[in-house]
Amino acid sequence: MAKIVGAVTTSHIPAIGGAIARDLCEDPYWKPLFSAYPPAHRWLGTQRPDVAVIFYNDHGLNFFLDKMPTFAVGAAPQYRNADEGWGIPTLPPVGGDQRFSWHLIEQLVGEEFDVTTCQEMLIDHACTIPLALLWPGRDAWPVRIVPICINTVQHPLPSAARCFKLGQAVGRAIRDYAEDLRVVVIGTGGLSHQLDGQRAGFINKDFDLEFMQKLPGDPLWATHYSIPELVELTGTQGIELLMWLAARATLDGEVKTIHSSYHIPISNTAAGLMVMEGGNP
Ligand code: DHB
Ligand code: FE
């Protein structure tokens, strides 16, 4: 049977891609960010996942305002990246696992999550930056992926409680898969940031730290906030924390924190990283 080895949640700030391309990991501005990742590399090296299920939010590369699914699941043989205009190099395609994707889709629809199915899907920086951060310096990606996109662009957004339930259903579906796959679940985005408008540059360190502290043992804490309340607390793009909730929700039993880091700011954003393991893999 498939096994969830754990969950990794990380920010996906596009400027990180530029810093990697320009080899700035040791630069004083960037070092505090990049030095947070080696414990995650060691953990992934021990866990050796075959597949990464990635909760992420597209920013207009694959879905635009004319057609915006609330939840979309990739079922492609391969996922290509493309230029989004951030000036970061395009990364090589990542292989998919179609059989596993369709199993997840079948089970999610069976549980009344009526997801959009994507047999072609471009992945944006919200997928590629975490891959580059977690598996640096690779010519070929060591994992296949199943991207799961949650709308954070066009309101109405799904509630935190709904995203948590989606994560729980994905966790059940992974554990029900008959193949002996080792699966890491990744949630990308956040933490607090607002890129435009009157509150551009808004960061809420107190809320972020409380969110990270509560996420392993009391994840429902954050689900009691409405979407407008979360936007107020974390900024218009800080709402990307929904990905962290969905990823955490796939874990069962007593969840422990293997590694955690928080650094402000990178670009306009609070950069967070957590590695968690569930009690019943
Ligand atoms: C920034 C952060 C993001 O999460 C994003 O998707 C785009 C930009 C930023 O801080 O610049
Ligand atoms: Fe983003």
Side-chain angles (χ1 to χ4, degrees):
M1 299 300 283
K3 170 187 161 102
I4 301 178
V5 299
V8 181
T9 53
T10 172
S11 302
H12 62 220
I13 304 152
I16 296 169
I20 293 172
R22 284 179 283 130
D23 209 7
L24 293 178
C25 304
E26 292 295 320
D27 177 272
Y29 177 84
W30 289 103
K31 199 175 162 113
L33 174 90
F34 286 105
S35 62
Y37 284 80
H41 302 155
R42 287 193 286 276
W43 180 81
L44 287 165
T46 310
Q47 295 299 336
R48 288 172 295 100
D50 304 296
V51 178
V53 171
I54 308 180
F55 289 99
Y56 82 109
N57 56 289
D58 182 82
H59 301 69
L61 181 69
N62 192 70
F63 302 113
F64 202 61
L65 302 180
D66 58 335
K67 301 178 199 72
M68 185 59 68
T70 301
F71 299 130
V73 181
Q78 194 183 61
Y79 300 91
R80 275 191 311 108
N81 180 215
D83 185 9
E84 300 171 68
W86 294 104
I88 53 179
T90 302
L91 293 188
V94 193
D97 184 328
Q98 285 179 293
R99 231 160 61 85
F100 186 42
S101 282
W102 282 112
H103 162 81
L104 297 182
I105 290 164
E106 293 261 0
Q107 195 147 327
L108 287 173
V109 175
E111 290 204 32
E112 301 177 359
F113 285 93
D114 303 319
V115 298
T116 299
T117 55
C118 302
Q119 299 189 61
E120 283 183 23
M121 196 176 197
L122 289 174
I123 49 169
D124 76 354
H125 68 271
C127 271
T128 57
I129 298 288
L131 288 170
L133 278 169
L134 295 173
W135 288 281
R138 300 279 188 148
D139 295 330
W141 302 112
V143 285
R144 307 186 292 281
I145 65 168
V146 177
I148 303 181
C149 183
I150 301 179
N151 167 36
T152 60
V153 172
Q154 177 159 275
H155 290 262
L157 312 187
S159 70
R162 182 69 174 154
C163 294
F164 193 80
K165 285 180 188 157
L166 174 75
Q168 288 177 310
V170 169
R172 282 191 289 274
I174 295 171
R175 279 185 285 271
D176 282 350
Y177 192 55
E179 223 177 279
D180 285 335
L181 283 187
R182 297 177 67 78
V183 180
V184 63
V185 180
I186 298 175
T188 99
L191 286 172
S192 59
H193 62 300
Q194 169 141 348
L195 299 179
D196 49 21
Q198 275 182 355
R199 293 201 306 163
F202 175 78
I203 283 179
N204 187 345
K205 180 178 177 183
D206 289 344
F207 181 87
D208 288 339
L209 292 179
E210 189 162 13
F211 175 73
M212 289 175 73
Q213 189 252 321
K214 292 259 181 4
L215 192 63
D218 183 15
L220 291 179
W221 172 79
T223 69
H224 297 129
Y225 291 104
S226 69
I227 293 291
E229 284 168 343
L230 286 170
V231 167
E232 177 98 39
L233 285 163
T234 68
T236 42
Q237 281 78 33
I239 196 65
E240 294 176 343
L241 63 75
L242 294 175
M243 314 304 137
W244 288 48
L245 275 176
R248 160 62 185 87
T250 64
L251 302 179
D252 231 5
E254 198 170 319
V255 172
K256 61 175 191 229
T257 304
I258 305 296
H259 176 59
S260 168
S261 155
Y262 182 80
H263 172 67
I264 47 175
I266 290 294
S267 178
N268 275 324
T269 300
L273 167 68
M274 287 183 80
V275 180
M276 291 167 275
E277 278 180 14
N280 308 313

